[in-house]
Structures are given as C-alpha cells and as structure tokens.
C-alpha cells in the first residue's frame, strides 16, 4: 500500500497514534496499527497547499463542504487528531488576519453579534430552558443539562456570598438568567450588560414577565463604559465573556471591574483558558468565534495582582464543560433537519464540528475552564472556610 498515491494520505500518516482507515479513489489506506477506530471517506481531494497552511482549516472546511465524510463517532475522530496537535500545520502569517484581528469596540461588537445574534429561536432549539450558554455544573452524574445549569448559577451565587439589598453586576449577562435568579432568591439588585441585541431583547422580556423591573436591569453597552455610569457594586460576575475581550484588552477589563466594585467586594470570573498564549485555531476564529482569544490562568492572576484583587479561590471545571458540550451536541443532533431546512447542511456540519470539537478539546485538556473568586482588597468579614 503506497502512501504516496496521494499527498493527503501521506499527510494523514503523521497522525498514527490511533488506527484509522482512509478511503480514497476506491482504495483503502490504514493509518496506525491495530483495528481502525473510524473511517475517513474522501469524496474530493484536499489541496496540498491548504493542508500545509492549516490542518484544522483544511480538514474542517472539507468536512463542512462534504468533501470528506466520517464513518464512526465524530468525537473520537476529533479527539484522536487533537491529541496529536503537535503535528498540525499552521502558517501564522497567512492567517494573521484571523489570529490577530483588530480589538477596537466596533470590531468586537460585530464579532459578538455574529455569534450571539444568530437568533433566540436557534439557541432555544438545543440549549436548556434557562438558555445558559456556558459550562454547567454536574453535582451528580444523573443531573439533566437544565439541572446542571441551575447548579452552576447556584454555585456562582453562593460563592459571591450574596445578602439581601446588595448590588450585583453581570458583565456579558447573556439572556439574564443569573441576574434573575440572584434577584429572586437573594433579594439583590442586579445590573447586566451585553452587546447582543437578541439576548438583550429576551432579557427584557424575562424581566417583565417576572415583574422584576425594579430589581434587574440589562443594558446594551460595552463593559468599558461601566465606570462612566457612576454605578458601584457589592459583587460582580462574568461568565463566558472574557474570551471575547482580546489579549490587548485584558488589563483594561480587570481595571474596569476594579473601578466599579466597592472595597471588599467579590468578583467571580468564569472563563475558558488556554494552556499557552500561542496556540490558536483559525477555523474557529473564522466560522464560530471571530476575535475569540483564550487567556492563560497565569495572565489573569498576574493582572489581578497588578491591581487590588486578592484571590480567594480557583477551581478547574474542565470535566464539566466536556459533559456540557456533549449534552449540547446531542441536543443539536436531534434538531439537525430543522436547522438544515433553515440554514443549510453546511451550517449543520459546521456546528457539529464546533460543539463536538470543543468537547474533545476539554476532554483531553487542550483547553480548560476556571472559576476564580477575588475580593477587591482584603475582606475579613467572609467565612474562614469555603462556605460554598
């Protein structure tokens, strides 16, 4: 069996940690040793220049177009390749426009809108009823996705040690579920900001339906404008938003939270982090999260301590995000035909790759998710042990 029959076969030969089969032009090629875990069916060749420019872009776009198909479990395919990411090709110069985009306000607003304004109807198809679009918290293996999302919000609110009458800020508040739960259960006054018009509209609707107009506000605004409002908060939370800030803006972000938080106030930061400051995926930047950048844990801790923040607790929820994404993926698979009818088969394949690919990335530790709990300055009024 001659691997030089095709450059694609030759190229895939580098990913031989796990055994798989490739079918091309009526021939079968086995990569690795043992029994194949899956099959890649090549319907149209992938150009050599594309593979050498970016492994992820070339293979993912080919899958989206239907140039390649998979027989077997998509999660297993992505996990097997991602575990060998040191073999990936990436021409950083060619994809510099994706890897290092402008991080000005107008650009970032468009980037956020491109993902979160796909439509509330779309997200309602496969998210749980709370419309929580971040890592859930599975206290028990039998927890449903909805229960796990409620667990997550409960956990965050407990960590913030809320008391009736306090003020709570949610930066990047999504559809407002965390603020609403804080108002209903703890009697706090909540304020949220988002750049998504769709999320803002549903947030307003939820607030009105529950009669919480005097307790919860959500505004369409950039987080950098928060200090100019003159508002100061007892506590702040930010869940799944830091990934959209951009590396050049991390210090501004932390300074902004510090500026609007009262002395002794608590700040819960929940975000996805990378293992280093270099790795990046141009495909996900182009199709899923334009401008998305993952900070490292070290970066955020360093910036926190440049200011007045004190770290009280750090928790890695990586396995929880793997499970969350697999729940979303299974839900999304159930509505494939409905989504395909509205947005096309290529869109469905793209989102399968995104959801399943991210699940694989968390599973192998390629990326992680942390919850960090800070106080602004010292706070000697909190319990001496983990109260949550």
């Amino acid at each position: 069996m001659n691997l030089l029959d095709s450059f694609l076969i030759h190229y895939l030969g580098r990913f031989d940690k796990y055994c798989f089969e490739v079918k091309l032009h009526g021939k079968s090629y086995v990569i690795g040793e043992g029994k194949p875990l899956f099959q890649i069916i090549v319907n149209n060749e992938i150009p050599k220049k594309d593979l050498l420019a970016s492994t992820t872009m070339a293979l993912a776009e080919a899958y989206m177009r239907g140039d390649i198909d998979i027989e077997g479990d998509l999660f297993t395919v992505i996990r097997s390749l991602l575990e060998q990411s040191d073999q990936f090709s990436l021409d950083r110069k060619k994809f510099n426009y994706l890897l290092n985009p402008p991080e000005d306000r107008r650009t970032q607003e468009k980037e956020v809108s491109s993902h979160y304004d796909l439509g509330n109807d779309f997200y309602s198809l496969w998210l749980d009823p709370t419309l929580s679009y971040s890592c859930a918290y599975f206290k028990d293996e039998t927890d449903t996705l909805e229960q796990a999302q409620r667990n997550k919000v409960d956990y965050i609110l407990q960590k913030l040690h809320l008391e009736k009458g306090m003020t709570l800020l949610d930066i990047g508040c999504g559809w407002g579920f965390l603020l609403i739960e804080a108002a209903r259960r703890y009697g706090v006054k909540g304020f949220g900001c988002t750049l998504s018009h769709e999320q803002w509209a549903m947030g307003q609707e939820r607030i009105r339906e529950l009669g919480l107009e005097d307790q919860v506000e959500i505004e369409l605004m950039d987080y950098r404008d928060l200090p100019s409002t003159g508002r100061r908060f007892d506590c702040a939370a930010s869940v799944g938003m830091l990934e959209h800030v951009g590396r050049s803006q991390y210090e501004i972000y932390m300074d902004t939270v510090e500026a609007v938080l009262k002395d002794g106030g608590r700040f819960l930061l929940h975000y996805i982090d990378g293992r280093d400051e270099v790795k990046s995926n141009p495909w996900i930047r182009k199709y899923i999260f334009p401008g998305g950048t993952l900070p490292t844990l070290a970066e955020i801790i360093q910036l926190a301590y440049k200011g007045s923040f004190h770290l009280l607790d750090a928790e890695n929820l990586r396995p929880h995000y793997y499970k969350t994404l697999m729940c979303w993926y299974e839900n999304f698979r159930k509505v494939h035909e409905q989504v395909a009818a509205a947005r096309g088969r290529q869109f469905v394949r793209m989102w399968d790759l995104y959801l399943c690919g991210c699940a694989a990335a968390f599973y192998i530790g390629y990326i992680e998710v942390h919850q960090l709990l800070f106080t602004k300055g010292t706070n000697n009024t909190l319990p001496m042990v983990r109260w949550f």
Side-chain angles (χ1 to χ4, degrees):
M1 193 172 295
N2 185 3
L3 294 184
L4 296 179
D5 286 352
S6 160
F7 181 78
L8 174 61
I9 301 300
H10 171 70
Y11 188 83
L12 291 176
R14 65 175 65 185
F15 301 103
D16 60 356
K17 180 178 179 180
Y18 299 98
C19 183
F20 62 96
E21 184 179 7
V22 183
K23 292 185 176 181
L24 171 67
H25 302 321
K27 296 183 180 181
S28 293
Y29 304 87
V30 176
I31 308 296
E33 298 181 358
K35 183 179 179 180
L37 298 178
F38 54 86
Q39 292 180 339
I40 297 177
I41 297 92
V42 182
N43 301 313
N44 293 296
E45 277 272 22
I46 304 173
K48 175 180 178 179
K49 63 179 180 62
D50 293 347
L51 288 166
L52 294 179
S54 169
T55 305
T56 54
M57 185 72 82
L59 294 179
E61 287 188 333
Y63 182 79
M64 287 167 56
R65 294 190 301 263
D67 288 344
I68 59 174
D69 285 312
I70 300 297
E71 284 189 9
D73 179 42
L74 182 61
F75 173 85
T76 300
V77 177
I78 299 174
R79 188 209 72 205
S80 299
L81 295 176
L82 198 58
E83 282 190 24
Q84 304 171 81
S85 61
D86 60 329
Q87 297 296 321
F88 286 4
S89 300
L90 177 58
D91 183 342
R92 303 190 73 88
K93 184 176 181 180
K94 179 174 181 177
F95 292 104
N96 183 63
Y97 73 104
L98 292 173
L99 303 178
N100 298 289
E103 294 177 344
D104 59 277
R105 293 182 181 221
R106 180 173 293 183
T107 299
Q108 290 185 327
E109 183 176 355
K110 290 179 179 178
E111 291 169 346
V112 168
S113 180
S114 72
H115 187 90
Y116 295 97
D117 286 339
L118 285 171
N120 294 329
D121 291 342
F122 168 68
Y123 286 106
S124 297
L125 286 174
W126 51 275
L127 292 179
D128 73 287
T130 71
L131 283 180
S132 296
Y133 190 27
S134 58
C135 177
Y137 186 63
F138 293 87
K139 295 174 68 174
D140 190 280
E141 287 190 2
T142 62
D143 283 344
T144 63
L145 176 61
E146 180 180 359
Q147 183 59 57
Q149 291 292 9
R150 291 183 179 276
N151 293 344
K152 184 264 302 293
V153 169
D154 290 347
Y155 199 31
I156 289 173
L157 299 181
Q158 289 169 25
K159 284 186 175 184
L160 288 170
H161 208 267
L162 299 175
E163 296 177 10
K164 186 174 182 179
M166 280 185 170
T167 51
L168 170 65
L169 167 67
D170 187 356
I171 306 173
C173 63
W175 291 276
F177 182 69
L178 184 146
L179 287 172
I180 288 169
E181 287 296 285
R184 294 175 66 184
R185 297 181 53 205
Y186 291 90
V188 305
K189 288 195 172 184
F191 180 84
C193 62
T194 179
L195 291 176
S196 167
H197 291 259
E198 289 280 320
Q199 291 182 335
W200 174 84
M202 180 170 281
Q204 303 305 316
E205 184 179 324
R206 283 176 153 182
I207 292 167
R208 286 193 300 269
E209 288 178 352
L210 295 168
L212 294 173
E213 293 94 331
D214 293 335
Q215 277 185 269
V216 180
E217 297 176 66
I218 297 177
E219 295 291 340
L220 270 171
M221 66 180 298
D222 190 289
Y223 72 93
R224 286 162 284 205
D225 292 327
L226 284 166
S228 65
T229 67
R231 294 172 182 263
R232 297 296 180 267
F233 301 91
D234 297 296
C235 295
S238 185
V239 182
M241 182 269 184
L242 184 61
E243 301 88 330
H244 303 288
V245 166
R247 184 156 274 114
S248 70
Q249 302 296 302
Y250 291 155
E251 186 167 2
I252 292 173
Y253 174 86
M254 297 298 287
D255 289 346
T256 297
V257 180
E258 183 177 357
V260 299
L261 200 60
K262 296 177 183 177
D263 290 341
R266 277 85 76 190
F267 173 38
L268 189 289
L269 179 58
H270 172 125
Y271 71 102
I272 301 170
D273 54 312
R275 298 284 297 177
D276 60 52
E277 299 172 26
V278 177
K279 286 183 180 178
S280 49
N281 184 330
W283 178 82
I284 207 164
R285 294 283 191 93
K286 180 177 179 179
Y287 291 100
I288 307 298
F289 289 120
T293 305
L294 302 184
T296 64
L297 181 60
E299 282 181 284
I300 300 307
I301 298 297
Q302 184 178 35
L303 288 173
Y305 276 80
K306 284 184 69 174
S308 62
F309 285 115
H310 291 245
L311 180 67
L312 294 187
D313 193 79
E315 186 171 5
N316 189 331
L317 301 180
R318 180 187 60 79
H320 295 268
Y321 219 158
Y322 153 67
K323 189 165 184 175
T324 302
L325 280 150
M326 290 306 292
C327 287
W328 289 342
Y329 176 55
E330 291 304 317
N331 286 349
F332 187 71
R333 289 179 66 186
K334 294 174 184 176
V335 296
H336 268 183
E337 296 308 315
Q338 192 171 344
V339 176
R343 300 174 183 271
R345 187 66 58 183
Q346 182 166 309
F347 181 91
V348 170
R349 284 186 166 230
M350 178 177 73
W351 273 70
D352 277 349
L353 284 175
Y354 156 54
L355 295 172
C356 203
C358 286
F362 281 108
Y363 183 81
I364 68 173
Y366 187 80
I367 53 177
E368 299 179 325
V369 59
H370 278 88
Q371 279 189 1
L372 307 180
L373 180 63
F374 299 100
T375 58
K376 179 181 175 180
T378 55
N379 186 328
N380 293 319
T381 67
L382 297 172
M384 293 175 63
V385 296
R386 285 184 169 94
W387 59 90
F388 44 85

